[in-house]
């Protein structure tokens, strides 16, 4: 019994990828099929490297050696006739310079997280073996001839995942002594009398088996990598006769007004377009066509609230936004705090996520000649 957990540096990984399974479709084994632009096995190797494990043995079928030679810094070992034999070949290859611990993992589980790998390694401080699993939550039936023949108590049942981790010397001895076929390395370990701790697995740690699993894995990867999106917006409105302008939801006295459909709130329009832009959802004109009379004169807060609500529906919230108004007059400074508060109120966010600032254009161009006001906005959207 150990008391101090091993470190990633004292741990090696064996990735079992010698199977010929083509249930996933295609004419090459699933671990070599492409997932988000790379072979499945490349993702699996990267997951272990990200967890700080540099010593990686990949067990391959001899036919796959040309594909596997593209992987840098891994040791290739040929598999045997059964999964047990494949794992044993890899353990023997490591035994010349034995690590403290070894994690044995299905090559076709590319989405394993750092957290799961750490949990397995940490548990090896207490037990000879540790493996991730999830409790069975669905009801279980026995079936016969297409009919439900009975129900099965699920109490104490777990769905096993990998990596299955072991003290190296213990699992090597267990594999050398094992004679019968085994479902996994936990079975081999238990046959040798080793205690194996259950640690928390994850629903995302799927074993790619069927074509639908690849679509699910692509979606999970996309989600992991796309947690932030940014968009920009730009708008201009010309001055006309009047005695006030609406800017970022605040009525500002001025000797002119802004011309346009609705209230011509140039700042709020730019911000709304930035949010639509971050989510590739077009612009205000697409959602509120100016040709449609119902939006003539509509208050701009309707547009901004719509963009935020649509984003929330798709799983995004505002990370922060920044609006810049470009004009010589009116002076924005005295109103900037009120604008920040009003935009935050409309979007239902804290004011510290909202910036409103202004600049002149040094009397140059249409804004410099006070023919109109321009606004730029950036919005950062984050996954809920
Ligand atoms: Mg506009």
């Amino acid at each position: 019994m150990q008391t101090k957990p091993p470190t990633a540096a004292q741990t090696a990984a064996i990735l079992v990828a010698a199977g010929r399974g083509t249930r996933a479709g295609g004419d090459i084994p699933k671990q070599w099929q492409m997932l988000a632009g790379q072979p499945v096995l490349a993702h699996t190797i990267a997951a272990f490297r990200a967890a700080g494990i540099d010593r990686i043995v990949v067990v391959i079928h001899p036919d796959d050696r040309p594909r596997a030679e593209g992987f840098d810094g891994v040791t290739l070992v040929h598999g045997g006739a059964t999964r047990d034999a494949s794992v044993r070949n890899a353990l023997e290859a490591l035994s010349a310079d034995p690590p403290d611990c070894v994690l044995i993992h299905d090559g076709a589980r590319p989405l394993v997280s750092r957290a799961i790998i750490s949990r397995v390694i940490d548990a090896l401080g207490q037990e000879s073996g540790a493996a991730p699993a999830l409790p069975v939550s669905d009801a279980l039936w026995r079936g016969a001839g297409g009919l439900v023949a009975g129900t099965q108590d699920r109490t104490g049942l777990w769905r096993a995942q990998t990596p299955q981790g072991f003290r190296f010397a213990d699992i090597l001895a267990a594999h050398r002594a094992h004679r019968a076929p085994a479902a996994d390395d936990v079975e081999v370990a238990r046959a040798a009398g080793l205690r194996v701790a259950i640690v928390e697995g994850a629903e995302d740690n799927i074993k790619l088996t069927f074509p639908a699993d690849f679509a699910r894995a692509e979606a999970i990867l996309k989600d992991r990598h796309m947690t932030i999106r940014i968009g920009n917006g730009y708008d201009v409105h010309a001055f006309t006769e009047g005695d006030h302008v609406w800017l970022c939801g605040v009525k500002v006295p001025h000797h002119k007004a802004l011309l346009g459909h609705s209230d011509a709130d140039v700042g709020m329009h730019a911000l709304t377009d930035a949010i639509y832009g971050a989510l590739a959802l077009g612009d205000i004109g697409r959602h509120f066509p100016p040709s449609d009379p119902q939006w003539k004169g509509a208050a701009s807060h309707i547009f901004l609230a719509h963009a935020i609500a649509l984003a929330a529906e798709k799983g995004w919230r505002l990370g922060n936004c920044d609006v810049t108004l470009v004009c010589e007059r009116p002076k924005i400074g005295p109103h900037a705090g009120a604008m920040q508060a009003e935009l935050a109120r409309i979007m239902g966010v804290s004011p510290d996520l909202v910036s409103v600032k202004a600049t002149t254009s040094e009397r140059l161009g249409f804004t410099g000649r006070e023919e109109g006001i321009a606004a730029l906005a950036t919005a950062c959207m984050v996954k809920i």
Side-chain angles (χ1 to χ4, degrees), residues 35-328:
L35 174 69
Q38 290 188 87
V40 167
L41 201 47
H43 291 276
T44 315
I45 292 169
F48 280 84
R49 289 231 170 94
I53 295 176
D54 296 325
R55 197 169 171 200
I56 298 176
V57 177
V58 182
V59 191
I60 57 164
H61 189 280
D63 292 353
D64 294 328
R65 182 163 274 276
R67 304 182 214 278
E69 272 167 355
F71 296 139
D72 277 341
V74 300
T75 303
L76 301 177
V77 169
H78 287 175
T82 61
R83 188 183 187 283
D84 311 5
S86 292
V87 172
R88 184 166 158 184
N89 288 354
L91 291 168
E92 296 291 357
L94 285 167
S95 67
D97 177 17
D100 286 358
C101 291
V102 63
L103 304 180
I104 305 171
H105 184 71
D106 299 322
R109 285 189 199 268
L111 304 181
V112 60
S113 67
R114 233 156 118 163
I116 292 182
I117 293 170
S118 296
R119 285 198 282 272
V120 172
I121 293 175
D122 287 349
L124 292 176
Q126 302 300 317
E127 303 288 355
S128 288
L134 290 171
V136 172
S137 56
D138 292 329
L140 295 178
W141 297 336
R142 284 184 303 278
L147 295 173
V148 177
T151 54
Q152 178 73 47
D153 183 13
R154 63 178 182 238
T155 312
L157 293 184
W158 296 81
R159 292 185 283 141
Q161 299 186 337
T162 70
Q164 300 181 346
F166 305 94
R167 290 272 149 190
F168 182 77
D170 295 344
I171 195 68
L172 177 64
H175 264 276
R176 282 176 176 168
H178 199 73
R179 293 284 168 253
D184 61 9
D185 301 288
V186 166
E187 187 176 335
V188 174
R190 294 197 67 255
L194 301 179
R195 285 159 54 98
V196 180
I198 299 174
V199 303
E200 188 189 346
E203 290 293 348
D204 284 358
N205 186 20
I206 51 175
K207 185 172 180 179
L208 303 186
T209 308
F210 301 107
D213 297 335
F214 279 75
R216 189 175 153 208
E218 295 252 4
I220 292 167
L221 281 171
K222 196 172 165 201
D223 226 50
R224 281 187 189 171
H225 293 136
M226 295 288 283
T227 54
I228 289 180
R229 300 182 66 159
I230 59 168
N232 68 62
Y234 175 71
D235 197 24
V236 171
H237 282 264
F239 280 126
T240 185
E241 281 172 23
D243 62 5
H244 67 274
V245 292
W246 283 97
L247 291 171
C248 297
V250 173
K251 187 176 177 180
V252 179
H254 193 46
H255 63 279
K256 294 172 181 175
L258 287 172
L259 180 68
H261 291 285
S262 79
D263 50 25
D265 189 332
V266 63
M268 208 179 302
H269 292 178
L271 176 56
T272 305
D273 274 353
I275 295 167
Y276 287 133
L279 303 178
L281 290 171
D283 58 15
I284 295 175
R286 177 163 137 196
H287 298 279
F288 300 94
S291 54
D292 186 336
Q294 70 171 307
W295 305 123
K296 197 170 160 58
S300 297
H301 65 80
I302 294 170
F303 309 155
L304 181 58
H306 174 266
I308 282 288
L310 191 59
E313 210 174 278
K314 295 183 178 297
W316 297 89
R317 64 177 173 78
L318 184 80
N320 75 299
C321 65
D322 186 18
V323 180
T324 301
L325 299 166
V326 186
C327 57
E328 304 294 329

Side-chain angles (χ1 to χ4, degrees), residues 33 46 101 343:
Q33 291 187 24
C101 291
L343 292 177

